[in-house]
Amino acid sequence: MINILTIDVEDYFHVLGLSSVIKKSEWEDCPQRVYGNTLRLLDILEASGVKATFYVLGWVAERRPELVDEMLRRGHEIASHGYSHAPIYEQTREEFHADLVRSKEILEGISGCKVIGYRAPSFSITERTLWALDVLIEEGFEYDSSIYPIRYDRYGISSAERFPHLIHRGKRSIWEFPPSTLRFLGRNLPVAGGGYFRLYPYRITAGFIRRMNRKGYPVLVYLHPWEIDPAQPRFKPRFRDRFRHYVNLSKTEGKLIRLLKEFRFAGISHFIKCMGGGSLR
Ligand SMILES: [Zn+2]
């Protein structure tokens, strides 16, 4: 069973949980760590022979186009994480459209490849912003990975489908690749990405993946370059955001290396090719 590995390429100061302590106007003055951290991630993946989908923030690609080149050179897939990292529910449809097109043009300009995949900042396609799927389809996107099937303060649609599937919008459709969840006591629990991956001991994550794979389902894991960087500058947002951002940063790289040794992974296009017109379920 091949699982899905996705990386959201952004820096620590882009994270919504730190927005109370780092303003957008201060981003340019923050020490940038994304270049070194992404190169380290690329080396880790290369050592394990793993290819992934990289959702690259337009803001980062514009300043470090050589990172996009390096991802392509090593055989990874480039997708969009938008331009400005503003959550969709804080944008109008027009603003979202402009942000999306700006990121797509930057990434296509660097890579020379058509960008067909998207992940919203902070998984911000929620019940209120499902219209964003129509904008993605209009702009030629073929898959999305922005709907987290959980109930959470900043994102999530708890009733959403848990496995990769086709979403129909009128006569058109788009593939959705949700981050993986564990069904427990009638609720969906996030287990295999970002802060959840950092929080849970390795054996919990690995046990979950084994269980899902035995049932015939691939697991979608997502990570960020800043999550393998315990030396990043530290800030003090409210406790909840501080915990989410900084928990176990020093352990993530080791956990990831173990994960890549134990399980097989690929990027999203690999799955779309395998699925044809059907669904993985
Ligand atoms: Zn992000």
Side-chain angles (χ1 to χ4, degrees):
M1 173 65 66
I2 299 180
N3 297 289
I4 308 166
L5 184 63
T6 64
I7 312 288
D8 295 356
V9 182
E10 66 198 34
D11 223 324
Y12 60 95
F13 49 81
H14 294 123
V15 178
L16 196 58
L18 297 189
S19 60
S20 63
V21 284
I22 312 173
K23 292 187 196 71
K24 213 165 231 182
S25 57
E26 295 168 332
W27 285 1
E28 287 294 356
D29 301 325
C30 292
Q32 289 183 23
R33 313 271 306 174
V34 68
Y35 183 73
N37 291 335
T38 306
L39 282 186
R40 207 156 84 247
L41 262 183
L42 285 167
D43 287 345
I44 292 169
L45 299 193
E46 193 162 358
S48 311
V50 170
K51 307 287 186 234
T53 295
F54 282 78
Y55 292 98
V56 186
L57 194 65
W59 192 97
V60 171
E62 201 172 54
R63 285 159 182 79
R64 302 308 297 247
E66 64 273 33
L67 262 186
V68 177
D69 289 335
E70 197 55 29
M71 289 164 198
L72 283 170
R73 195 180 69 74
R74 303 199 199 194
H76 299 289
E77 178 183 355
I78 307 295
S80 166
H81 194 37
Y83 180 83
S84 65
H85 212 258
I88 300 178
Y89 45 74
E90 289 178 5
Q91 299 178 68
T92 64
R93 186 174 175 135
E94 290 69 31
E95 285 166 343
F96 170 65
H97 180 256
D99 186 276
L100 179 72
V101 169
R102 189 174 179 190
S103 76
K104 192 177 196 293
E105 285 177 356
I106 290 169
L107 295 173
E108 291 181 348
I110 299 166
S111 67
C113 304
K114 195 166 180 253
V115 169
I116 59 164
Y118 177 76
R119 173 172 290 147
S122 311
F123 298 104
S124 54
I125 298 190
T126 62
E127 299 271 15
R128 285 191 288 143
T129 54
L130 282 171
W131 48 260
L133 294 170
D134 302 323
V135 180
L136 289 170
I137 294 169
E138 278 162 26
E139 287 304 325
F141 284 81
E142 294 177 22
Y143 68 85
D144 172 66
S145 183
S146 311
I147 301 178
Y148 218 137
I150 58 171
R151 189 182 303 280
Y152 189 59
D153 55 355
R154 288 207 180 98
Y155 50 74
I157 300 180
S158 58
S159 59
E161 168 69 54
R162 293 173 54 223
F163 299 98
H165 60 288
L166 210 49
I167 295 183
H168 296 280
R169 302 285 299 176
K171 287 186 178 155
R172 298 191 289 180
S173 56
I174 186 165
W175 285 104
E176 180 63 33
F177 284 79
S180 291
T181 51
L182 170 71
R183 191 85 186 141
F184 185 70
L185 299 177
R187 295 182 65 169
N188 298 338
L189 302 179
V191 278
Y196 311 108
F197 178 71
R198 282 182 282 127
L199 179 63
Y200 298 125
Y202 177 79
R203 61 186 165 77
I204 301 274
T205 309
F208 164 72
I209 298 176
R210 271 183 232 120
R211 201 169 117 194
M212 295 293 281
N213 286 177
R214 269 200 304 273
K215 289 182 176 175
Y217 298 126
V219 165
L220 186 148
V221 173
Y222 65 90
L223 283 172
H224 307 80
W226 56 263
E227 291 186 286
I228 59 162
D229 182 14
Q232 66 188 266
R234 300 274 169 151
F235 295 86
K236 281 197 168 175
R238 61 181 177 164
F239 174 76
R240 195 171 58 175
D241 290 329
R242 199 158 75 228
F243 180 75
R244 281 174 186 167
H245 191 91
Y246 296 117
V247 66
N248 289 340
L249 283 180
S250 58
K251 293 182 181 163
T252 315
E253 185 170 338
K255 267 191 207 172
L256 175 64
I257 291 170
R258 248 180 112 178
L259 192 79
L260 299 179
K261 259 196 197 124
E262 183 171 350
F263 300 97
R264 296 174 70 201
F265 286 93
I268 286 183
S269 281
H270 168 85
F271 287 86
I272 293 181
K273 276 182 216 139
C274 296
M275 287 188 291
S279 160
L280 272 183
R281 270 201 92 177

